[in-house]
Amino acid sequence: MTIGRDLELNELQRGGSHAEGSSFTIYDQGGGRADGKRSDVKRTFGRFVDSFRREEETGSRASANNNTSDQPPLDDGFGTPAVGVARDYRGARYYDMRTAAAKTANSLLTRELKGRHLQMIAIGGSIGTGLFVASGKTLSQGGPASVLLAYFTIGVMLYCTVQALGEMAVVFPVAGSFSAFSTRFLDPSWGFAMGWNYALQWIVVLPLEIIAGAYTIRYWNPNISQAIFVTLFLFVIVVINLFGVKGYGEAEFVFAILKVTAVIGFILLGIVINIGGTPTGGYIGGKYWSDPGAFNNGFKGFVSVFVTAAFAFAGTELVGLAAAETANPRKSLPTAIKQVFWRISLFYIVALTLVGLLVPYNEPRLMDADNIADAAASPFVIAIESAGATVLPSIMNGVILVSVISVGNSAVFGSSRTLAALADQGQAPRFLSYIDRSGRPLLAILACSAVGLLAFLPEAEVQGQVFEWLLAISGLSTIFTWASICLSHIRLRSAWEYHNRSLHDMAFRAQAGVVGSWLGFGLNVFILIMQVWVAIDPIAGRPGTSHGAAREFFVQCAAIPVVLVFYLAHKLWFKTTPVRLEDMDIDTGRRDFGRLGIIKAQEEEERQAWPAWKRVYRYLC
């Protein structure tokens, strides 16, 4: 079986629609113009219907499937048979990692994302309610200095994590990305747990964001029916994702531009407000850092900010997940990965520094949020309102609305791709691996979108309880995902050295190296430990009853036992063991196989002609 070969050119040739049909038109000899129009309509409709049919497994993937096993193919009920990854051997179950790696490496997903899509996803992908609204809670709990230190520390950790992910995703742009890397480089059972944990995170986020979007509309009209906008937002999100990965990329491109523009506008406005440039306000400077103070609630306040800040960056890893659907990941992904540094520096550190200068941590409105999209508790809105502006708060609320729709859009994308990759690896129901001729994981998209119907739950106390526990199940998913990315990168580098491979053979190398991955892994473990501590002993004090204390703990940390259940169940069923260095597959799905040296030599020759400023700029960006 020839797996470690360059598939990039072949994939690019079929990167567009798989159901485009012929490029010319044949007219009926006896038909006039009307017949021609009817014929065009029929052909267009036929191509549209045909695009939803299952893509045939041909070429490299079919070859991999047919040569991996001596057993007959298993019919999955949706057309082309597929080799099972979970197999029996002399009565004992075992997990076939070679077949799983081949399937994710030869995915039928189309490659239509371009560099500009990835860059805007990287820059604006995680700018949302975590920054605009949840930062108010962190400011109230820890004070402006704690916010600045915590977000900076998380930014450093995330920079190291994304660099590690970028290296793996460029070398192995496979479906499923980090969950597949956990399977290949750590342990199949851990990959199973990480894949389902990540998918559940986004599946739960979808209905929550839809409800938050409908709630945001009430800023302008409190009496309007929530169900109308729940229907509208769910419909828009599903339609965007049914346009395929290109539809997702274009939508996120527009959303990111709007969010980035809003943040830059706030930074400029915040500077003006702080220096007393508004008619109603005077010079503020740093007086709120001395009264009421820079810190609140001591070290525990800082830790609480630390934990919440981590969730504000959730979604950054989607850049790596999109690598399998990128036209040229070796060229586009490194640029997008480097953009994370600028987003952290400009959009989080600078913006939140200004928020801490403009809003005191004892502002009562900071803790009055009814949900994650309540603009009344946004420190950005409070800062603008304090300056006497009347129209700008509505504009900021509109940006929050765009943010929640953007996150809902990413929720369907992230969960559907993860479920499809899990199904390819034999870790989810096989029907979820259905890829149509337009390269969409159609059934996975529909399954994830169906969960959005939970947003129609009646406006009652049961709604809050349902979503509280759903979020609790996947609340720490991001931390587990980031830690697994760092550990997978460490293991890959060890295997690379074990097999006597040169780092020059990698298409992209993490700027932070293995040291950065160890730092990222350690900080993620620290966040996890601190989350447990805050759950046991919260700032507000322990609940009065043991039942209340237990409930508070599991609401904060339910993801830990859920991950352990997934991991142990898979391990007991298949009796998997951690992947040894000598058994680690570092060839399947690798891009630029055999010609990377030539490409790098050409690029180095081109760089020699660049001026010094351009070399520095391209290194950073």
Side-chain angles (χ1 to χ4, degrees):
M1 174 173 60
T2 306
I3 295 176
R5 59 180 180 279
D6 184 10
L7 300 168
E8 186 162 351
L9 181 60
N10 178 57
E11 295 291 332
L12 284 172
Q13 289 173 344
R14 71 168 188 84
S17 171
H18 297 285
E20 292 177 356
S22 174
S23 61
F24 57 89
T25 305
I26 300 175
Y27 291 92
D28 182 51
Q29 293 180 356
R33 182 175 178 181
D35 292 335
K37 283 188 174 181
R38 284 196 297 269
S39 180
D40 288 342
V41 171
K42 288 176 66 176
R43 276 193 294 272
T44 301
F45 182 74
R47 286 197 297 268
F48 174 74
V49 174
D50 192 54
S51 70
F52 291 96
R53 298 182 185 275
R54 187 186 187 100
E55 172 64 298
E56 298 296 330
E57 293 187 295
T58 58
S60 59
R61 176 165 176 168
S63 174
N65 284 342
N66 292 336
N67 294 330
T68 305
S69 172
D70 296 330
Q71 297 183 357
L74 303 176
D75 187 2
D76 60 9
F78 287 95
T80 306
V83 173
V85 177
R87 313 249 294 278
D88 289 337
Y89 178 73
R90 296 179 179 177
R93 288 180 295 272
Y94 73 98
Y95 185 83
D96 190 342
M97 289 185 55
R98 188 171 180 81
T99 300
K103 287 192 173 187
T104 55
N106 299 290
S107 172
L108 298 174
L109 298 170
T110 54
R111 294 190 185 172
E112 295 184 330
L113 285 179
K114 299 178 182 178
R116 63 182 179 88
H117 296 138
L118 284 184
Q119 289 179 35
M120 295 311 294
I121 291 172
I123 293 175
S126 68
I127 296 178
T129 54
L131 173 63
F132 293 129
V133 179
S135 56
K137 179 181 178 181
T138 61
L139 179 60
S140 176
Q141 289 179 335
S146 290
V147 169
L148 193 59
L149 289 173
Y151 275 83
F152 176 79
T153 306
I154 295 296
V156 171
M157 179 270 290
L158 190 59
Y159 175 77
C160 297
T161 301
V162 174
Q163 283 286 323
L165 175 60
E167 179 178 302
M168 294 188 292
V170 171
V171 178
F172 304 100
V174 300
S177 190
F178 29 84
S179 66
F181 297 148
S182 294
T183 296
R184 289 177 64 170
F185 304 141
L186 299 179
D187 186 337
S189 295
W190 187 250
F192 172 78
M194 287 300 95
W196 273 104
N197 191 45
Y198 190 75
L200 285 175
Q201 172 199 358
W202 285 116
I203 288 173
V204 169
V205 162
L206 176 60
L208 184 68
E209 293 293 333
I210 292 173
I211 289 178
Y215 183 90
T216 304
I217 298 295
R218 293 185 175 184
Y219 182 86
W220 295 284
N221 188 346
N223 300 319
I224 201 164
S225 173
Q226 177 176 298
I228 296 174
F229 289 96
V230 166
T231 304
L232 176 61
F233 295 148
L234 181 59
F235 176 78
V236 169
I237 290 171
V238 172
V239 168
I240 289 174
N241 279 273
L242 287 180
F243 272 100
V245 69
K246 191 171 184 179
Y248 166 76
E250 293 292 351
E252 285 304 301
F253 183 78
V254 174
F255 292 152
I257 288 177
L258 293 175
K259 291 187 288 186
V260 167
T261 303
V263 174
I264 293 175
F266 174 81
I267 290 173
L268 297 176
L269 177 62
I271 294 173
V272 172
I273 295 173
N274 185 261
I275 62 177
T278 59
T280 58
Y283 178 76
I284 299 175
K287 70 176 184 179
Y288 293 138
W289 279 59
S290 57
D291 181 23
F295 294 93
N296 189 28
N297 294 314
F299 180 70
K300 186 178 291 186
F302 169 75
V303 168
S304 299
V305 174
F306 205 81
V307 172
T308 307
F311 301 136
F313 287 98
T316 306
E317 67 286 340
L318 284 172
V319 178
L321 193 64
E325 298 176 77
T326 301
N328 190 351
R330 196 194 69 82
K331 183 177 181 180
S332 302
L333 200 58
T335 302
I337 291 298
K338 294 172 186 177
Q339 299 294 337
V340 172
F341 170 79
W342 298 108
R343 188 192 67 211
I344 293 170
S345 301
L346 180 62
F347 302 136
Y348 279 87
I349 304 302
V350 175
L352 290 173
T353 298
L354 284 169
V355 163
L357 291 173
L358 298 176
V359 182
Y361 72 71
N362 59 357
E363 166 63 49
R365 288 175 289 176
L366 291 175
M367 295 298 289
D368 289 342
D370 290 333
N371 62 39
I372 61 171
D374 190 355
S378 169
F380 291 80
V381 174
I382 293 172
I384 295 172
E385 288 179 341
S386 299
T390 56
V391 177
L392 292 179
S394 291
I395 295 176
M396 182 57 68
N397 198 67
V399 173
I400 294 173
L401 177 61
V402 169
S403 299
V404 298
I405 296 175
S406 174
V407 174
N409 186 38
S410 296
V412 175
F413 175 81
S415 57
S416 63
R417 268 56 180 186
T418 303
L419 287 178
L422 287 171
D424 269 345
Q425 298 174 85
Q427 296 173 333
R430 195 173 294 116
F431 74 88
L432 292 173
S433 67
Y434 184 101
I435 308 292
D436 64 20
R437 295 185 179 183
S438 292
R440 299 167 295 202
L442 186 61
L443 296 184
I445 289 175
L446 295 178
C448 297
S449 301
V451 181
L453 297 174
L454 288 175
F456 287 101
L457 284 172
E459 299 179 40
E461 184 180 354
V462 64
Q463 187 185 73
Q465 293 177 352
V466 168
F467 285 115
E468 183 179 48
W469 285 106
L470 287 176
L471 279 174
I473 292 174
S474 58
L476 294 172
S477 173
T478 300
I479 307 302
F480 281 111
T481 297
W482 293 343
S484 296
I485 289 171
C486 294
L487 195 56
S488 295
H489 179 244
I490 294 168
R491 293 282 292 163
L492 171 62
R493 282 292 189 94
S494 298
W496 205 263
E497 181 180 0
Y498 178 85
H499 291 283
N500 297 316
R501 302 287 179 87
S502 171
L503 293 180
H504 294 288
D505 294 336
M506 288 186 166
F508 171 71
R509 281 178 287 173
Q511 293 176 336
V514 178
V515 174
S517 294
W518 277 115
L519 176 62
F521 178 75
L523 286 174
N524 276 290
V525 173
F526 174 75
I527 294 171
L528 194 62
I529 295 172
M530 291 300 100
Q531 172 72 354
V532 174
W533 178 44
V534 172
I536 295 174
D537 188 16
I539 290 178
R542 295 184 179 90
T545 64
S546 57
H547 178 270
R551 183 182 183 280
E552 180 67 24
F553 175 80
F554 282 106
V555 164
Q556 299 293 330
C557 301
I560 297 176
V562 169
V563 168
L564 290 177
V565 167
F566 273 107
Y567 173 69
L568 294 175
H570 190 275
K571 181 166 286 290
L572 291 174
W573 185 259
F574 289 108
K575 295 183 172 54
T576 62
T577 57
V579 182
R580 299 179 299 179
L581 293 181
E582 57 267 29
D583 297 330
M584 199 174 292
D585 183 358
I586 58 173
D587 288 323
T588 302
R590 185 176 160 202
R591 297 286 186 242
D592 295 305
F593 203 82
R595 58 189 178 92
L596 180 61
I598 299 174
I599 295 174
K600 282 193 169 185
Q602 292 174 342
E603 292 176 344
E604 182 60 32
E605 184 179 351
E606 182 182 349
R607 275 194 293 268
Q608 294 299 323
W610 290 350
W613 69 266
K614 189 174 182 179
R615 294 184 190 180
V616 175
Y617 172 79
R618 291 300 296 268
Y619 178 81
L620 296 175
C621 301

